């Protein structure tokens, strides 16, 4: 791409889906305020040349939340994010018409700490382009940088005639209080997160069964077009970091999730009861090279001992931020400084992760696709991938 060929041309781009389907996306928020569901749906779409690409970070409040999470002054953070990524779009067409004609497997996606529903679009779009409906949940457990629900404006508040009678009530990231024990907070949050994943699953199945739903966000998307669109026997859950712990918690609570994929999972929030009762469903751990440590890996191994359907691979040269989209929209200097980029090309790292995920999903959801061409990656065989972990787990030698 030529620099400066057009003022709107982006040099840094979130990669497009490589599968056979065009991809659309739309946001859905149900009623009942904070207890409702909030998600971004990515789906196979009709070719929509007229529809614009969806905004990547849709409200300035997300910049403020990211600033809080990164311990920056909001006024500084908001300007920086606006300058660097304010015009970034994700390569999915906003409210494009849903592609009818087949039943698609369903994937529920859970974001990491300080993240939100829109910033794993490279993964979600790739999955949708390969024929999945993907519901990326925005969690309201105070682990997102920012999120909101809609509430009715009070009568006393002035409003212009044209605007809606709803207003956004924002919920920002909650920092640990002084002296607070992290594990108990995170365990409480992961239980709420799992419930939100199950709630999202129920909501999509309700829509697919033909039930009418109310979306409190104004959009032109026709939710009735999703009737009979979900293959209800083929449902999986996927997430990154805190979202990886959420995958494990969700699998243990909901048998309709037939398998799970945990991207660089953070195991601290997972409750002791999960290890005792075990998780029966197949589970793939895809780890980065630079994030993991002994205790975290041992917890993964404890969960997957003697189960050949539990797999672990590590992507060489990758970092914890190789999975969210920031790795694609940052230059090399900023990317390296903030550890948004590893030594591996970001596109190669996400391809390894996505291909291994697709092969794993084909096997455990019994899909009739050609994703089995990537089966070797699930066993950690191929360029820039290893089986298991790069972490040395041998006990320290006594002095």
């Amino acid at each position: 791409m030529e620099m400066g060929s057009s003022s709107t041309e982006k040099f840094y781009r979130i990669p497009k889906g490589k599968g056979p389907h065009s991809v659309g996306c739309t946001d859905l928020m149900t009623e009942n305020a904070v207890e409702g569901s909030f998600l971004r749906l990515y789906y196979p779409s009709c070719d929509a040349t007229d529809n614009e690409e969806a905004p990547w970070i849709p409200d300035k409040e997300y910049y403020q939340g990211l600033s809080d999470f990164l311990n920056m002054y909001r006024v500084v953070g908001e300007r920086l994010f606006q300058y660097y990524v304010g015009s970034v779009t994700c390569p999915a067409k906003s409210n494009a018409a849903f592609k009818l004609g087949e039943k698609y497997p369903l994937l529920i996606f859970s974001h990491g700490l300080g993240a939100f529903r829109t910033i794993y679009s490279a993964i979600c779009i790739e999955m949708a382009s390969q024929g999945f409906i993907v519901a990326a949940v925005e969690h309201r457990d105070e682990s997102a940088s920012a999120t909101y629900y809609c509430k009715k404006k009070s009568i006393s508040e002035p409003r212009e005639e044209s605007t809606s009678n709803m207003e956004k009530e924002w919920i920002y990231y909650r920092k640990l209080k002084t002296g607070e024990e992290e594990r108990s907070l995170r365990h409480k949050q992961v239980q709420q997160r799992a419930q939100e994943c199950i709630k999202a699953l129920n909501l999509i199945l309700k829509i697919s069964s033909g039930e009418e739903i109310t979306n409190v966000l104004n959009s032109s998307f026709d939710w009735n077009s999703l009737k009979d669109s979900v293959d209800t026997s083929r449902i999986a859950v996927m997430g990154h970091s805190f979202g990886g712990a959420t995958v494990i918690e969700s699998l243990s609570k909901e048998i309709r999730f037939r398998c799970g994929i945990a991207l660089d999972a953070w195991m601290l929030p997972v409750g002791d009861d999960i290890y005792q009762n075990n998780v029966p469903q197949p589970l793939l751990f895809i780890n980065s090279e630079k994030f993991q440590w002994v205790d975290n890996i041992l917890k993964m191994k404890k969960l997957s001992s003697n189960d050949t359907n539990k797999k672990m691979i590590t992507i060489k040269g990758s970092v914890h931020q190789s999975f969210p989209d920031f790795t694609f929209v940052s230059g090399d200097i900023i990317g390296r400084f903030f550890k948004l980029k590893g030594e591996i090309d970001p596109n190669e790292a996400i391809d390894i992760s996505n291909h291994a995920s697709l092969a794993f999903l084909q096997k455990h959801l019994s899909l009739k696709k050609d994703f089995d061409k990537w089966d070797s990656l699930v066993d950690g065989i191929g360029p820039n991938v290893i089986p298991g972990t790069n972490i040395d787990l041998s006990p320290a030698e006594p002095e």
Side-chain angles (χ1 to χ4, degrees), residues 325-345:
D325 295 335
F326 281 105
T327 190
F328 301 108
V329 297
S330 56
D332 281 344
I333 295 167
I334 282 184
R336 288 288 172 91
F337 182 77
F338 287 109
K339 296 197 171 69
L340 302 174
K341 288 184 193 292
E343 287 140 27
I344 190 172
D345 178 295

PDB file of all heavy atoms in Angstrom, residues 325-345:
ATOM      1  N   ASP A 325      -6.125  -7.067  18.683  1.00  0.00           N
ATOM      2  CA  ASP A 325      -5.863  -6.330  17.437  1.00  0.00           C
ATOM      3  C   ASP A 325      -4.770  -5.267  17.535  1.00  0.00           C
ATOM      4  O   ASP A 325      -4.266  -4.821  16.500  1.00  0.00           O
ATOM      5  CB  ASP A 325      -7.147  -5.619  16.967  1.00  0.00           C
ATOM      6  CG  ASP A 325      -8.251  -6.585  16.589  1.00  0.00           C
ATOM      7  OD1 ASP A 325      -7.948  -7.735  16.224  1.00  0.00           O
ATOM      8  OD2 ASP A 325      -9.436  -6.181  16.667  1.00  0.00           O
ATOM      9  N   PHE A 326      -4.429  -4.813  18.755  1.00  0.00           N
ATOM     10  CA  PHE A 326      -3.454  -3.717  18.862  1.00  0.00           C
ATOM     11  C   PHE A 326      -2.131  -4.056  18.175  1.00  0.00           C
ATOM     12  O   PHE A 326      -1.422  -3.178  17.703  1.00  0.00           O
ATOM     13  CB  PHE A 326      -3.194  -3.359  20.334  1.00  0.00           C
ATOM     14  CG  PHE A 326      -4.272  -2.502  20.931  1.00  0.00           C
ATOM     15  CD1 PHE A 326      -5.205  -3.037  21.813  1.00  0.00           C
ATOM     16  CD2 PHE A 326      -4.378  -1.159  20.588  1.00  0.00           C
ATOM     17  CE1 PHE A 326      -6.212  -2.251  22.341  1.00  0.00           C
ATOM     18  CE2 PHE A 326      -5.380  -0.354  21.128  1.00  0.00           C
ATOM     19  CZ  PHE A 326      -6.304  -0.908  22.006  1.00  0.00           C
ATOM     20  N   THR A 327      -1.818  -5.348  18.106  1.00  0.00           N
ATOM     21  CA  THR A 327      -0.559  -5.775  17.472  1.00  0.00           C
ATOM     22  C   THR A 327      -0.518  -5.396  15.986  1.00  0.00           C
ATOM     23  O   THR A 327       0.551  -5.209  15.421  1.00  0.00           O
ATOM     24  CB  THR A 327      -0.354  -7.310  17.675  1.00  0.00           C
ATOM     25  OG1 THR A 327       0.967  -7.653  17.266  1.00  0.00           O
ATOM     26  CG2 THR A 327      -1.349  -8.142  16.890  1.00  0.00           C
ATOM     27  N   PHE A 328      -1.696  -5.252  15.359  1.00  0.00           N
ATOM     28  CA  PHE A 328      -1.750  -4.936  13.922  1.00  0.00           C
ATOM     29  C   PHE A 328      -1.776  -3.440  13.643  1.00  0.00           C
ATOM     30  O   PHE A 328      -1.460  -3.022  12.537  1.00  0.00           O
ATOM     31  CB  PHE A 328      -2.991  -5.564  13.283  1.00  0.00           C
ATOM     32  CG  PHE A 328      -3.028  -7.055  13.429  1.00  0.00           C
ATOM     33  CD1 PHE A 328      -3.938  -7.660  14.296  1.00  0.00           C
ATOM     34  CD2 PHE A 328      -2.142  -7.862  12.733  1.00  0.00           C
ATOM     35  CE1 PHE A 328      -3.961  -9.037  14.445  1.00  0.00           C
ATOM     36  CE2 PHE A 328      -2.157  -9.235  12.883  1.00  0.00           C
ATOM     37  CZ  PHE A 328      -3.065  -9.821  13.741  1.00  0.00           C
ATOM     38  N   VAL A 329      -2.198  -2.639  14.609  1.00  0.00           N
ATOM     39  CA  VAL A 329      -2.397  -1.212  14.333  1.00  0.00           C
ATOM     40  C   VAL A 329      -1.307  -0.354  14.962  1.00  0.00           C
ATOM     41  O   VAL A 329      -1.413   0.865  14.989  1.00  0.00           O
ATOM     42  CB  VAL A 329      -3.802  -0.730  14.789  1.00  0.00           C
ATOM     43  CG1 VAL A 329      -4.885  -1.453  14.017  1.00  0.00           C
ATOM     44  CG2 VAL A 329      -4.004  -0.892  16.285  1.00  0.00           C
ATOM     45  N   SER A 330      -0.252  -1.001  15.478  1.00  0.00           N
ATOM     46  CA  SER A 330       0.850  -0.236  16.066  1.00  0.00           C
ATOM     47  C   SER A 330       2.094  -0.431  15.201  1.00  0.00           C
ATOM     48  O   SER A 330       2.332  -1.525  14.684  1.00  0.00           O
ATOM     49  CB  SER A 330       1.119  -0.716  17.495  1.00  0.00           C
ATOM     50  OG  SER A 330       1.376  -2.113  17.510  1.00  0.00           O
ATOM     51  N   GLY A 331       2.878   0.621  15.071  1.00  0.00           N
ATOM     52  CA  GLY A 331       4.151   0.524  14.347  1.00  0.00           C
ATOM     53  C   GLY A 331       5.161  -0.281  15.163  1.00  0.00           C
ATOM     54  O   GLY A 331       4.915  -0.620  16.316  1.00  0.00           O
ATOM     55  N   ASP A 332       6.297  -0.548  14.549  1.00  0.00           N
ATOM     56  CA  ASP A 332       7.290  -1.400  15.212  1.00  0.00           C
ATOM     57  C   ASP A 332       7.812  -0.819  16.514  1.00  0.00           C
ATOM     58  O   ASP A 332       7.957  -1.527  17.506  1.00  0.00           O
ATOM     59  CB  ASP A 332       8.464  -1.683  14.264  1.00  0.00           C
ATOM     60  CG  ASP A 332       8.097  -2.772  13.262  1.00  0.00           C
ATOM     61  OD1 ASP A 332       7.108  -3.475  13.512  1.00  0.00           O
ATOM     62  OD2 ASP A 332       8.777  -2.900  12.235  1.00  0.00           O
ATOM     63  N   ILE A 333       8.093   0.479  16.533  1.00  0.00           N
ATOM     64  CA  ILE A 333       8.717   1.082  17.725  1.00  0.00           C
ATOM     65  C   ILE A 333       7.730   1.067  18.888  1.00  0.00           C
ATOM     66  O   ILE A 333       8.012   0.550  19.969  1.00  0.00           O
ATOM     67  CB  ILE A 333       9.223   2.520  17.419  1.00  0.00           C
ATOM     68  CG1 ILE A 333      10.352   2.450  16.391  1.00  0.00           C
ATOM     69  CG2 ILE A 333       9.705   3.187  18.700  1.00  0.00           C
ATOM     70  CD1 ILE A 333      10.727   3.773  15.760  1.00  0.00           C
ATOM     71  N   ILE A 334       6.521   1.601  18.640  1.00  0.00           N
ATOM     72  CA  ILE A 334       5.497   1.614  19.692  1.00  0.00           C
ATOM     73  C   ILE A 334       5.105   0.182  20.036  1.00  0.00           C
ATOM     74  O   ILE A 334       4.936  -0.163  21.209  1.00  0.00           O
ATOM     75  CB  ILE A 334       4.275   2.452  19.227  1.00  0.00           C
ATOM     76  CG1 ILE A 334       4.603   3.934  19.378  1.00  0.00           C
ATOM     77  CG2 ILE A 334       3.024   2.108  20.027  1.00  0.00           C
ATOM     78  CD1 ILE A 334       3.516   4.884  19.058  1.00  0.00           C
ATOM     79  N   GLY A 335       4.999  -0.658  19.017  1.00  0.00           N
ATOM     80  CA  GLY A 335       4.613  -2.054  19.229  1.00  0.00           C
ATOM     81  C   GLY A 335       5.566  -2.796  20.133  1.00  0.00           C
ATOM     82  O   GLY A 335       5.165  -3.515  21.051  1.00  0.00           O
ATOM     83  N   ARG A 336       6.864  -2.597  19.898  1.00  0.00           N
ATOM     84  CA  ARG A 336       7.877  -3.269  20.730  1.00  0.00           C
ATOM     85  C   ARG A 336       7.911  -2.652  22.126  1.00  0.00           C
ATOM     86  O   ARG A 336       8.030  -3.357  23.136  1.00  0.00           O
ATOM     87  CB  ARG A 336       9.270  -3.155  20.083  1.00  0.00           C
ATOM     88  CG  ARG A 336       9.461  -4.019  18.846  1.00  0.00           C
ATOM     89  CD  ARG A 336       9.552  -5.505  19.234  1.00  0.00           C
ATOM     90  NE  ARG A 336       9.542  -6.368  18.062  1.00  0.00           N
ATOM     91  CZ  ARG A 336      10.631  -6.772  17.419  1.00  0.00           C
ATOM     92  NH1 ARG A 336      11.821  -6.369  17.814  1.00  0.00           N
ATOM     93  NH2 ARG A 336      10.523  -7.566  16.381  1.00  0.00           N
ATOM     94  N   PHE A 337       7.832  -1.319  22.193  1.00  0.00           N
ATOM     95  CA  PHE A 337       7.933  -0.619  23.480  1.00  0.00           C
ATOM     96  C   PHE A 337       6.823  -1.062  24.429  1.00  0.00           C
ATOM     97  O   PHE A 337       7.048  -1.311  25.604  1.00  0.00           O
ATOM     98  CB  PHE A 337       7.892   0.906  23.255  1.00  0.00           C
ATOM     99  CG  PHE A 337       8.043   1.687  24.535  1.00  0.00           C
ATOM    100  CD1 PHE A 337       9.300   1.821  25.123  1.00  0.00           C
ATOM    101  CD2 PHE A 337       6.939   2.261  25.158  1.00  0.00           C
ATOM    102  CE1 PHE A 337       9.441   2.527  26.319  1.00  0.00           C
ATOM    103  CE2 PHE A 337       7.081   2.970  26.347  1.00  0.00           C
ATOM    104  CZ  PHE A 337       8.341   3.112  26.922  1.00  0.00           C
ATOM    105  N   PHE A 338       5.598  -1.156  23.915  1.00  0.00           N
ATOM    106  CA  PHE A 338       4.464  -1.549  24.760  1.00  0.00           C
ATOM    107  C   PHE A 338       4.215  -3.063  24.754  1.00  0.00           C
ATOM    108  O   PHE A 338       3.187  -3.524  25.225  1.00  0.00           O
ATOM    109  CB  PHE A 338       3.187  -0.812  24.312  1.00  0.00           C
ATOM    110  CG  PHE A 338       3.182   0.650  24.686  1.00  0.00           C
ATOM    111  CD1 PHE A 338       3.326   1.634  23.718  1.00  0.00           C
ATOM    112  CD2 PHE A 338       3.054   1.045  26.012  1.00  0.00           C
ATOM    113  CE1 PHE A 338       3.330   2.983  24.059  1.00  0.00           C
ATOM    114  CE2 PHE A 338       3.053   2.387  26.367  1.00  0.00           C
ATOM    115  CZ  PHE A 338       3.190   3.362  25.388  1.00  0.00           C
ATOM    116  N   LYS A 339       5.184  -3.806  24.186  1.00  0.00           N
ATOM    117  CA  LYS A 339       5.064  -5.275  24.094  1.00  0.00           C
ATOM    118  C   LYS A 339       3.781  -5.712  23.382  1.00  0.00           C
ATOM    119  O   LYS A 339       3.132  -6.692  23.739  1.00  0.00           O
ATOM    120  CB  LYS A 339       5.142  -5.923  25.486  1.00  0.00           C
ATOM    121  CG  LYS A 339       6.493  -5.725  26.179  1.00  0.00           C
ATOM    122  CD  LYS A 339       6.634  -6.717  27.327  1.00  0.00           C
ATOM    123  CE  LYS A 339       8.036  -6.730  27.919  1.00  0.00           C
ATOM    124  NZ  LYS A 339       8.382  -5.515  28.653  1.00  0.00           N
ATOM    125  N   LEU A 340       3.375  -4.931  22.378  1.00  0.00           N
ATOM    126  CA  LEU A 340       2.216  -5.291  21.558  1.00  0.00           C
ATOM    127  C   LEU A 340       2.634  -6.221  20.428  1.00  0.00           C
ATOM    128  O   LEU A 340       1.795  -6.864  19.812  1.00  0.00           O
ATOM    129  CB  LEU A 340       1.579  -4.027  20.945  1.00  0.00           C
ATOM    130  CG  LEU A 340       1.106  -2.959  21.936  1.00  0.00           C
ATOM    131  CD1 LEU A 340       0.648  -1.714  21.185  1.00  0.00           C
ATOM    132  CD2 LEU A 340      -0.017  -3.486  22.804  1.00  0.00           C
ATOM    133  N   LYS A 341       3.948  -6.241  20.153  1.00  0.00           N
ATOM    134  CA  LYS A 341       4.470  -7.096  19.084  1.00  0.00           C
ATOM    135  C   LYS A 341       5.607  -7.942  19.641  1.00  0.00           C
ATOM    136  O   LYS A 341       6.406  -7.469  20.453  1.00  0.00           O
ATOM    137  CB  LYS A 341       5.042  -6.247  17.940  1.00  0.00           C
ATOM    138  CG  LYS A 341       4.015  -5.528  17.080  1.00  0.00           C
ATOM    139  CD  LYS A 341       4.742  -4.820  15.948  1.00  0.00           C
ATOM    140  CE  LYS A 341       3.891  -3.823  15.202  1.00  0.00           C
ATOM    141  NZ  LYS A 341       2.818  -4.375  14.421  1.00  0.00           N
ATOM    142  N   GLY A 342       5.678  -9.191  19.185  1.00  0.00           N
ATOM    143  CA  GLY A 342       6.810 -10.047  19.540  1.00  0.00           C
ATOM    144  C   GLY A 342       7.816 -10.064  18.413  1.00  0.00           C
ATOM    145  O   GLY A 342       7.816  -9.194  17.540  1.00  0.00           O
ATOM    146  N   GLU A 343       8.679 -11.084  18.412  1.00  0.00           N
ATOM    147  CA  GLU A 343       9.683 -11.203  17.345  1.00  0.00           C
ATOM    148  C   GLU A 343       9.075 -11.785  16.078  1.00  0.00           C
ATOM    149  O   GLU A 343       9.612 -11.623  14.992  1.00  0.00           O
ATOM    150  CB  GLU A 343      10.832 -12.102  17.828  1.00  0.00           C
ATOM    151  CG  GLU A 343      11.731 -11.427  18.859  1.00  0.00           C
ATOM    152  CD  GLU A 343      12.159 -12.366  19.981  1.00  0.00           C
ATOM    153  OE1 GLU A 343      12.220 -13.589  19.737  1.00  0.00           O
ATOM    154  OE2 GLU A 343      12.424 -11.860  21.086  1.00  0.00           O
ATOM    155  N   ILE A 344       7.943 -12.467  16.212  1.00  0.00           N
ATOM    156  CA  ILE A 344       7.285 -13.071  15.056  1.00  0.00           C
ATOM    157  C   ILE A 344       6.399 -12.024  14.366  1.00  0.00           C
ATOM    158  O   ILE A 344       5.889 -11.113  15.021  1.00  0.00           O
ATOM    159  CB  ILE A 344       6.446 -14.302  15.495  1.00  0.00           C
ATOM    160  CG1 ILE A 344       5.937 -15.095  14.293  1.00  0.00           C
ATOM    161  CG2 ILE A 344       5.307 -13.893  16.420  1.00  0.00           C
ATOM    162  CD1 ILE A 344       5.268 -16.421  14.676  1.00  0.00           C
ATOM    163  N   ASP A 345       6.261 -12.136  13.054  1.00  0.00           N
ATOM    164  CA  ASP A 345       5.337 -11.257  12.320  1.00  0.00           C
ATOM    165  C   ASP A 345       3.925 -11.462  12.890  1.00  0.00           C
ATOM    166  O   ASP A 345       3.466 -12.593  13.014  1.00  0.00           O
ATOM    167  CB  ASP A 345       5.376 -11.648  10.836  1.00  0.00           C
ATOM    168  CG  ASP A 345       4.405 -10.830  10.007  1.00  0.00           C
ATOM    169  OD1 ASP A 345       3.180 -10.957  10.224  1.00  0.00           O
ATOM    170  OD2 ASP A 345       4.846 -10.069   9.134  1.00  0.00           O
TER     171      ASP A 345
END
